[in-house]
Amino acid sequence: MAEPELLVAPNVIEYPFSRTTGPMIGAFMTALREGFIVGCTAADGRVIVPPVEYDPDTAEALTEVVEVGDAGVVASWSWVREPLDGHPLDRPFAFALITLDGADVPMLHAVDTGGDVAAMATGMRVRARWADEREGSILDIACFEPEGAR
Amino acid sequence: MGAERVAVVGIGQTKHDTIFDGSIAGLVRTAAERALADARMTWADIDAVVIGKAPDFFEGVMMPELYLADALGAVGKPMFRVHTAGSVGGSTAIVAQDLIAAGIHKKVLTVAFEKQSESEAMWALSLPIPFQPPMHAGAGGYFAPHIRAYMHRSKAPDHVGILVAVKDRLNACKNPYAHLHEHDITFDSVKDSMMLWDPIRFSETCPSSDGACAMVLTDEAGGDAAAADGRPPAWVHGTAFRSEPTMFAGRDQVNPQGGQDCAADVYRQAGISDPRREIDVVEMYVPFSWFEPMWLENLGFCAEGEGWQLVEAGVTQMDGDLPVNCSGGVLSSNPIGASGMLRFAEAAMQVRGQAGEHQIDGARTALGHAYGGGSQFFAMWIVGAAKP
């Protein structure tokens, strides 16, 4: 019996979105474009990176933006053996939670060890590798790499 | 309605505008802070938060309530999201009131918003359907044939929609929170504005707005305390919600059964037998001018086919005997998800006597109305200055 002919119609839905970032994410994005990283001071004194507009415990509006380091410690990580389109690197890498110097909570980013999983370890120090051209995006940090890697 | 009486003790809204210069979190926060201030409360006083907005794909943020918990002081508290398309602001308020009426919570913050500057509602509402030619663009394209059908059926003259547009836009000039303040609008300027979706002209169409609305609802003790403090609450006399499918054989899209049933239900709860006489002021969801006469009929304020005659006679003007949309309505501000709650909140403001320049003197009973989807979701409440 012949294969039945399936009716197929394309259905592509595409339209653009924009975002008003607000005072805290706006400050974070602006700092990335300038080549540094900021967080904010929460009601209990912790430094949160990226900064948030409202305190996670007390709901009060947070306004104190503070600069943190562009290097820190890997708190946890997960190895990506086969990177996909849209991933920050095209060779095996780690997604990692990184507690930056001066911050009290970790931030998610990628760590490039040249594809070597054996070079990844919880507690290792990593430093941001900045993108050559920065535009106010989380990808202004191309990735993190083991401190002293170059 | 449950056993516990429910009072509206705090109302807040943003200045509706083309762009709210802040994040979505900042937008909802602004309305919520104003509602809390109006209620003389702080975040700690609130037991639960109920939030609503139009479909997530408008702004492209999936389940935004998850990230708005911090901004709304909801961490460690119950938080609920309501989805009912354009009527969502109304049904969100009803869910909040139900939590109190059922005796589950005593003080509930309810918030609704839309940020159309970050959104593409026009194209989000123009989704192509496989195997069908694209027949419409945006909500106006969808509703224009309904309006044509209404004009054909009722023999309404072409200028009725223009009268509604001029009225609502001039009312908006009395409302500092309204998006559009078109002091120079005239019958001729509306008539000469571009025909967008025949018979809907540009000036007979709602704007695209950023905005949020929030209310604090309490139990009877909370309402009594506010009243004793010289801040009269609005008491909820009835709430109703109805839905029906977008399409089914024999469906009347001009005068939907769901809307008629919803109105009959809310009037029954509030003990209203003659809405035209017993309701002092109406805030109804009119995104395109012609929906005023259409909903006047659907809500039972007149016989079918006569809504346009009320408009023409000036009955729905602020000095008429049934003022409709004194705030300027959806025609003057349309942060979609918030638009239904704004109708509910404006109704409450009228019976609390806090509507400022667009106050109807002595308003005791008010109807808030919202509809959504393809005229298929209906949410209504009746609020009064007196306890039910």
Side-chain angles (χ1 to χ4, degrees), chain B residues 262-273:
Chain B
C262 191
D265 188 7
V266 82
Y267 297 154
R268 182 187 55 73
Q269 292 174 38
I272 287 172
S273 54

PDB file of all heavy atoms in Angstrom, chain B residues 262-273:
ATOM      1  N   CYS B 262     -24.043  36.198  32.541  1.00  0.00           N
ATOM      2  CA  CYS B 262     -23.165  36.757  33.576  1.00  0.00           C
ATOM      3  C   CYS B 262     -23.843  37.960  34.233  1.00  0.00           C
ATOM      4  O   CYS B 262     -23.860  38.093  35.462  1.00  0.00           O
ATOM      5  CB  CYS B 262     -21.835  37.160  32.935  1.00  0.00           C
ATOM      6  SG  CYS B 262     -20.538  37.577  34.097  1.00  0.00           S
ATOM      7  N   ALA B 263     -24.437  38.828  33.394  1.00  0.00           N
ATOM      8  CA  ALA B 263     -25.127  40.016  33.920  1.00  0.00           C
ATOM      9  C   ALA B 263     -26.315  39.597  34.783  1.00  0.00           C
ATOM     10  O   ALA B 263     -26.504  40.117  35.891  1.00  0.00           O
ATOM     11  CB  ALA B 263     -25.587  40.909  32.769  1.00  0.00           C
ATOM     12  N   ALA B 264     -27.096  38.642  34.300  1.00  0.00           N
ATOM     13  CA  ALA B 264     -28.270  38.209  35.064  1.00  0.00           C
ATOM     14  C   ALA B 264     -27.845  37.664  36.417  1.00  0.00           C
ATOM     15  O   ALA B 264     -28.492  37.919  37.453  1.00  0.00           O
ATOM     16  CB  ALA B 264     -29.041  37.149  34.274  1.00  0.00           C
ATOM     17  N   ASP B 265     -26.744  36.933  36.448  1.00  0.00           N
ATOM     18  CA  ASP B 265     -26.245  36.332  37.690  1.00  0.00           C
ATOM     19  C   ASP B 265     -25.808  37.413  38.677  1.00  0.00           C
ATOM     20  O   ASP B 265     -26.168  37.395  39.856  1.00  0.00           O
ATOM     21  CB  ASP B 265     -25.079  35.387  37.342  1.00  0.00           C
ATOM     22  CG  ASP B 265     -24.609  34.570  38.538  1.00  0.00           C
ATOM     23  OD1 ASP B 265     -25.259  34.636  39.602  1.00  0.00           O
ATOM     24  OD2 ASP B 265     -23.586  33.866  38.404  1.00  0.00           O
ATOM     25  N   VAL B 266     -25.041  38.371  38.186  1.00  0.00           N
ATOM     26  CA  VAL B 266     -24.511  39.387  39.120  1.00  0.00           C
ATOM     27  C   VAL B 266     -25.650  40.291  39.630  1.00  0.00           C
ATOM     28  O   VAL B 266     -25.652  40.717  40.789  1.00  0.00           O
ATOM     29  CB  VAL B 266     -23.349  40.180  38.468  1.00  0.00           C
ATOM     30  CG1 VAL B 266     -23.838  41.292  37.565  1.00  0.00           C
ATOM     31  CG2 VAL B 266     -22.404  40.721  39.529  1.00  0.00           C
ATOM     32  N   TYR B 267     -26.630  40.573  38.788  1.00  0.00           N
ATOM     33  CA  TYR B 267     -27.780  41.374  39.242  1.00  0.00           C
ATOM     34  C   TYR B 267     -28.569  40.606  40.304  1.00  0.00           C
ATOM     35  O   TYR B 267     -29.014  41.180  41.303  1.00  0.00           O
ATOM     36  CB  TYR B 267     -28.721  41.710  38.074  1.00  0.00           C
ATOM     37  CG  TYR B 267     -28.102  42.576  36.990  1.00  0.00           C
ATOM     38  CD1 TYR B 267     -28.583  42.534  35.684  1.00  0.00           C
ATOM     39  CD2 TYR B 267     -27.046  43.446  37.271  1.00  0.00           C
ATOM     40  CE1 TYR B 267     -28.033  43.316  34.681  1.00  0.00           C
ATOM     41  CE2 TYR B 267     -26.481  44.225  36.269  1.00  0.00           C
ATOM     42  CZ  TYR B 267     -26.977  44.151  34.980  1.00  0.00           C
ATOM     43  OH  TYR B 267     -26.417  44.922  34.000  1.00  0.00           O
ATOM     44  N   ARG B 268     -28.747  39.301  40.078  1.00  0.00           N
ATOM     45  CA  ARG B 268     -29.496  38.492  41.046  1.00  0.00           C
ATOM     46  C   ARG B 268     -28.800  38.533  42.418  1.00  0.00           C
ATOM     47  O   ARG B 268     -29.430  38.755  43.447  1.00  0.00           O
ATOM     48  CB  ARG B 268     -29.587  37.051  40.541  1.00  0.00           C
ATOM     49  CG  ARG B 268     -30.385  36.114  41.449  1.00  0.00           C
ATOM     50  CD  ARG B 268     -30.290  34.659  40.989  1.00  0.00           C
ATOM     51  NE  ARG B 268     -28.918  34.177  40.855  1.00  0.00           N
ATOM     52  CZ  ARG B 268     -28.097  33.893  41.872  1.00  0.00           C
ATOM     53  NH1 ARG B 268     -28.521  34.029  43.115  1.00  0.00           N
ATOM     54  NH2 ARG B 268     -26.861  33.474  41.649  1.00  0.00           N
ATOM     55  N   GLN B 269     -27.472  38.370  42.400  1.00  0.00           N
ATOM     56  CA  GLN B 269     -26.732  38.393  43.673  1.00  0.00           C
ATOM     57  C   GLN B 269     -26.879  39.733  44.374  1.00  0.00           C
ATOM     58  O   GLN B 269     -26.961  39.802  45.599  1.00  0.00           O
ATOM     59  CB  GLN B 269     -25.252  38.108  43.425  1.00  0.00           C
ATOM     60  CG  GLN B 269     -24.955  36.694  42.964  1.00  0.00           C
ATOM     61  CD  GLN B 269     -23.480  36.544  42.607  1.00  0.00           C
ATOM     62  OE1 GLN B 269     -22.616  37.102  43.271  1.00  0.00           O
ATOM     63  NE2 GLN B 269     -23.203  35.792  41.567  1.00  0.00           N
ATOM     64  N   ALA B 270     -26.884  40.803  43.587  1.00  0.00           N
ATOM     65  CA  ALA B 270     -26.945  42.150  44.170  1.00  0.00           C
ATOM     66  C   ALA B 270     -28.387  42.599  44.410  1.00  0.00           C
ATOM     67  O   ALA B 270     -28.618  43.722  44.869  1.00  0.00           O
ATOM     68  CB  ALA B 270     -26.228  43.137  43.243  1.00  0.00           C
ATOM     69  N   GLY B 271     -29.343  41.754  44.086  1.00  0.00           N
ATOM     70  CA  GLY B 271     -30.745  42.110  44.315  1.00  0.00           C
ATOM     71  C   GLY B 271     -31.233  43.206  43.379  1.00  0.00           C
ATOM     72  O   GLY B 271     -32.091  44.012  43.740  1.00  0.00           O
ATOM     73  N   ILE B 272     -30.678  43.232  42.170  1.00  0.00           N
ATOM     74  CA  ILE B 272     -31.038  44.278  41.204  1.00  0.00           C
ATOM     75  C   ILE B 272     -32.017  43.708  40.178  1.00  0.00           C
ATOM     76  O   ILE B 272     -31.734  42.697  39.531  1.00  0.00           O
ATOM     77  CB  ILE B 272     -29.772  44.820  40.515  1.00  0.00           C
ATOM     78  CG1 ILE B 272     -28.991  45.680  41.515  1.00  0.00           C
ATOM     79  CG2 ILE B 272     -30.119  45.618  39.259  1.00  0.00           C
ATOM     80  CD1 ILE B 272     -27.649  46.120  41.033  1.00  0.00           C
ATOM     81  N   SER B 273     -33.172  44.333  40.047  1.00  0.00           N
ATOM     82  CA  SER B 273     -34.161  43.860  39.076  1.00  0.00           C
ATOM     83  C   SER B 273     -34.260  44.805  37.877  1.00  0.00           C
ATOM     84  O   SER B 273     -34.660  44.399  36.794  1.00  0.00           O
ATOM     85  CB  SER B 273     -35.524  43.685  39.745  1.00  0.00           C
ATOM     86  OG  SER B 273     -35.903  44.883  40.399  1.00  0.00           O
TER      87      SER B 273
END
